Amino acid sequence: MQNVTEAATFTEVLSLNARLHPSRTALRRKRDGKWENISWKRFHRWTLDFAAGLICLGAEKGDSICILSANRLEWAVSDFAIIAASARTAAIYASNPPRDAAYIVSHSDAKLLIVENGEQLHKALQTLHLMPNLRKIIAFDPPPDFSHEKLIPFNEVCSLGMNAPDNVKRELENRIASASPGDVITIIYTSGTTGPPKGAMLTHENFLFICRSCSSLGIASSRDSTISYLPLAHALERVVFYLCVYNAASVSFARSFYTLADDIRELKPTLLAGVPRVFEKMYDRIMETAHAAPPWKKTLFEFAVRTGAKAARLANDGKPIPIPLRASRLLFHLLVYGKIRQSAGGKIRFFFSGGAPLSPEIIEFFHAVSLPILEAYGMTESTAPATFNRPGRARFGYVGQQIPDVELKIAPDGEILIRGKGVFKGYFKDPGATAETVRNGWLHTGDIGEMSPDGYLRVTDRKKDLIITAGGKNVAPQNIENLFKTSRYISNIVVIGDRQPYLTALITLSRDEIEAFARERGIQPERDKPLESHPEIIRLLDSVVTEKNSSLPRHETIKKYKILPGDFSEESGELTPTLKVKRRVICSRFATEIEELYRRP
């Protein structure tokens, strides 16, 4: 086999890359201030050594092995080693609190847990009583001068494998040879906004199907590079990582989310994935800079964006761009777009957005400044993308057309249904939930959507999040929330109104923008009163709400709102690890404020 399209497993893909591209860079990490390149040959060898070490520790075929760590090179090595050993990765978000992490270890029946450092090790040790089957904890960076009967350093496991006896090496070879496309290689626990997470079982075939389909659209190639920073415990980032492995493209690991901007400027990636909140923040920063510029620069920026948006719409519709418009766009590339592109490294071909709908206004803006966002739609249970906006054929406000060999239809109640080889094998140890989710081969997504005549999908809301007002009107809160978040003063918003006579909202403010607004007007926070309670700030938000309401139907307008102190966060339990709002948690936590919104005249 010399063609990656013929590979039946991801172990074969990695082996093929090591043979065909032995010295080409596969992975990068920053050590001692310099980026270190890891070749495909070294990555493959490292993976086999660690896989043999796992077998030495008692890893059996079909075992679950948990990884509790932020993204890093060793995460990738561990994942592919687990796959090579015919086990399955059960990844845990590094931000998960101890009990949540212990739940996944226990529920997945894991005997081995891989952790990043002392912080994650401490989580595991304080909840050992909740993980009775756990035998060993492997640490990438174990605390110095610390020992525990269950602890073994990552490097020691690699050495175990490197020096493993012949029977262990033969066992590893047999497991690799006997692996089949239908084998489960990972259990991805859905972060969810309510209830305990469910473990979605995904196979070699699921991921290889998605990689082949997306590659056929020109989404990625061997010339591409990306930066891994979204949690690898999430389906979107895992698919992007596997897509790069499938295409022998290089993946660099960001030092942290906070260094991402610097890492992008240094590494100059060609592809970058993000969830809507990431692009909303990028948009806010660009608009903040433009707002602070001298009037002539601000006018130039606004004209450049309008020109770029007009050209982008024509290009995506397959229509010719008139010569004067092309000339204007070239000029603005030198004056405006090029500078914005440089802040993203200067070589971006596409941004990918998934996980939740992104505001069409924000997508159009990025297309206008020559940083196209290709929005996709899918879920963990469909191995992420089921639809994709094609390069050069994106439609703003839609999440693209179905990828090759995926079937899509809208149920009578508006629910989006998916069928194809990307549909997962089922929920681990939960056949009831599996049967409820997959019926007659169709994955019931729980999302509401509509299809255009030419096959573009628009997601309108989550089925369970739909608001039905007291007047019987159906309202999709996400659409309204995305509209309001285009204001630079609003960080987050949750629309309320189920079975109520009108809509209200809980709003958190963008701290930097509000403080800048206050400084410009000489507003000083009063003693023992937060800035957001100042009359000038209230008037500002009133004007924002009035302006956004003006573009909405009457029954979708926000009649009252409450500004909340601070912002929602993952640490407070109000956001998922992918920064989606936990609507029910927030409604429960701020029940008194919501009640007040409907009690006042």
Side-chain angles (χ1 to χ4, degrees):
M1 180 191 65
Q2 290 294 306
N3 192 325
V4 72
T5 61
E6 300 171 11
T9 69
F10 262 97
T11 307
E12 289 180 6
V13 172
L14 182 55
S15 175
L16 189 64
N17 285 352
R19 289 204 307 274
L20 297 180
H21 320 291
S23 59
R24 185 187 294 175
T25 298
L27 308 173
R28 289 189 183 93
R29 65 174 170 183
K30 199 161 196 178
R31 298 184 79 183
D32 302 323
K34 294 181 179 179
W35 288 100
E36 177 188 6
N37 296 334
I38 309 297
S39 69
W40 285 107
K41 184 177 180 180
R42 185 181 171 194
F43 179 25
H44 182 236
R45 182 68 260 167
W46 203 348
T47 292
L48 295 180
D49 287 342
F50 190 62
L54 292 174
I55 293 174
C56 289
L57 293 180
E60 298 176 7
K61 290 184 69 171
D63 274 0
S64 296
I65 299 176
C66 289
I67 303 178
L68 174 58
S69 169
N71 296 11
R72 52 187 288 167
L73 186 146
E74 293 89 346
W75 203 113
V77 170
S78 300
D79 184 41
F80 272 82
I82 291 166
I83 294 170
S86 290
R88 52 187 64 163
T89 300
I92 306 171
Y93 291 101
S95 58
N96 274 11
R99 280 189 170 269
D100 290 358
Y103 171 84
I104 293 175
V105 174
S106 178
H107 185 270
S108 66
D109 300 326
K111 294 179 290 188
L112 299 175
L113 167 63
I114 301 170
V115 300
E116 181 174 13
N117 50 28
E119 178 187 353
Q120 305 296 4
L121 175 63
H122 179 66
K123 285 184 185 179
L125 293 179
Q126 66 178 295
T127 53
L128 277 178
H129 61 288
L130 300 176
M131 304 178 287
N133 296 324
L134 189 63
R135 295 180 187 172
K136 288 289 183 183
I137 302 173
I138 302 165
F140 296 147
D141 298 324
D145 304 320
F146 179 84
S147 63
H148 190 279
E149 60 181 355
K150 291 188 183 294
L151 177 64
I152 181 169
F154 173 80
N155 289 339
E156 283 189 22
V157 181
C158 292
S159 296
L160 270 178
M162 193 182 305
N163 303 302
D166 289 343
N167 66 308
V168 170
K169 293 181 178 178
R170 283 195 300 272
E171 173 64 16
L172 177 58
E173 290 172 359
N174 291 336
R175 292 189 189 185
I176 291 172
S178 62
S180 68
D183 289 345
V184 175
I185 60 173
T186 190
I187 303 174
I188 296 184
Y189 280 83
T190 56
S191 55
T193 55
T194 59
K198 296 191 291 289
M201 298 185 289
L202 299 172
T203 66
H204 285 286
E205 183 179 43
N206 290 146
F207 283 109
L208 285 170
F209 167 75
I210 294 297
C211 289
R212 290 184 184 117
S213 294
C214 291
S215 298
S216 72
L217 300 176
I219 300 297
S221 75
S222 61
R223 296 184 299 277
D224 282 312
S225 63
T226 191
I227 299 177
S228 178
Y229 71 98
L230 294 174
L232 279 162
H234 189 262
L236 171 62
E237 184 71 3
R238 191 80 68 84
V239 164
V240 172
F241 179 68
Y242 287 174
L243 182 63
C244 288
V245 172
Y246 182 83
N247 283 281
S250 67
V251 179
S252 302
F253 291 95
R255 289 167 288 164
S256 74
F257 186 79
Y258 303 103
T259 66
L260 181 61
D262 291 335
D263 293 340
I264 288 172
R265 283 190 288 270
E266 289 181 34
L267 293 164
K268 298 176 172 44
T270 60
L271 307 174
L272 199 66
V275 291
R277 198 72 188 119
V278 171
F279 297 113
E280 288 164 1
K281 289 290 188 183
M282 290 175 64
Y283 174 81
D284 288 344
R285 282 196 297 271
I286 294 169
M287 298 306 288
E288 180 183 354
T289 302
H291 178 72
W296 70 269
K297 274 193 175 183
K298 186 178 177 184
T299 300
L300 177 69
F301 172 82
E302 291 170 350
F303 187 46
V305 170
R306 287 197 299 272
T307 300
K310 186 177 180 180
R313 283 194 295 270
L314 288 171
N316 283 320
D317 288 342
K319 298 176 181 177
I321 300 174
I323 291 176
L325 184 57
R326 271 188 282 168
S328 297
R329 201 178 188 197
L330 180 60
L331 175 63
F332 286 134
H333 182 82
L334 296 172
L335 298 176
V336 180
Y337 312 148
K339 294 176 182 178
I340 297 175
R341 279 184 59 82
Q342 282 303 124
S343 68
K347 292 187 177 180
I348 287 288
R349 288 202 304 127
F350 313 118
F351 285 130
F352 303 137
S353 179
L358 180 60
S359 166
E361 290 85 355
I362 292 178
I363 295 176
E364 183 175 74
F365 169 82
F366 278 98
H367 278 258
V369 299
S370 299
L371 285 171
I373 294 177
L374 300 182
E375 198 170 15
Y377 167 74
M379 55 196 301
T380 302
E381 292 83 349
S382 64
T383 320
T387 71
F388 232 119
N389 265 308
R390 274 52 163 178
R393 283 171 37 210
R395 185 168 297 176
F396 310 141
Y398 291 80
V399 291
Q401 298 163 302
Q402 59 210 58
I403 64 175
D405 299 316
V406 163
E407 294 179 78
L408 208 68
K409 70 177 182 179
I410 306 297
D413 64 353
E415 185 175 9
I416 302 167
L417 309 183
I418 298 169
R419 186 163 67 181
K421 290 184 179 179
V423 173
F424 75 142
K425 198 164 187 172
Y427 293 116
F428 187 60
K429 298 196 297 191
D430 200 341
T434 302
E436 183 181 341
T437 304
V438 182
R439 292 172 242 160
N440 299 318
W442 288 96
L443 173 65
H444 289 243
T445 64
D447 289 318
I448 300 297
E450 56 193 33
M451 296 279 286
S452 72
D454 52 351
Y456 280 83
L457 176 67
R458 189 164 77 93
V459 181
T460 56
D461 209 50
R462 287 290 297 168
K463 189 174 181 179
K464 292 180 181 177
D465 289 342
L466 274 179
I467 290 172
I468 303 176
T469 66
K473 296 285 189 180
N474 284 7
V475 176
Q478 277 190 348
N479 293 339
I480 302 170
E481 289 160 359
N482 284 338
L483 172 65
F484 273 76
K485 284 194 289 186
T486 59
S487 166
R488 67 178 187 271
Y489 299 113
I490 293 177
S491 177
N492 265 305
I493 174 172
V494 175
V495 173
I496 314 293
D498 199 43
R499 298 179 179 85
Q500 298 288 355
Y502 51 83
L503 299 186
T504 61
L506 302 175
I507 295 175
T508 67
L509 302 181
S510 176
R511 180 56 50 186
D512 291 344
E513 289 289 348
I514 290 299
E515 289 178 352
F517 176 86
R519 283 194 301 272
E520 287 175 7
R521 286 154 181 77
I523 298 171
Q524 296 293 330
E526 297 177 26
R527 187 176 180 180
D528 300 325
K529 286 188 177 182
L531 189 59
E532 53 263 28
S533 66
H534 193 282
E536 284 286 332
I537 304 299
I538 299 296
R539 278 194 286 272
L540 170 67
L541 261 292
D542 281 345
S543 68
V544 169
V545 171
T546 299
E547 183 231 326
K548 299 302 179 186
N549 275 343
S550 67
S551 62
L552 292 169
R554 181 179 173 82
H555 69 277
E556 292 187 0
T557 56
I558 302 300
K559 302 299 190 295
K560 297 178 185 176
Y561 66 89
K562 171 74 175 178
I563 302 175
L564 301 178
D567 200 356
F568 303 140
S569 70
E570 187 183 346
E571 292 74 22
S572 66
E574 295 155 344
L575 299 179
T576 71
T578 51
L579 307 181
K580 286 192 279 191
V581 166
K582 292 186 177 181
R583 197 176 297 274
R584 293 187 186 180
V585 170
I586 290 166
C587 289
S588 174
R589 188 163 293 173
F590 297 101
T592 301
E593 287 81 355
I594 294 170
E595 184 181 340
E596 179 69 16
L597 287 170
Y598 287 102
R599 186 166 59 235
R600 294 183 308 184

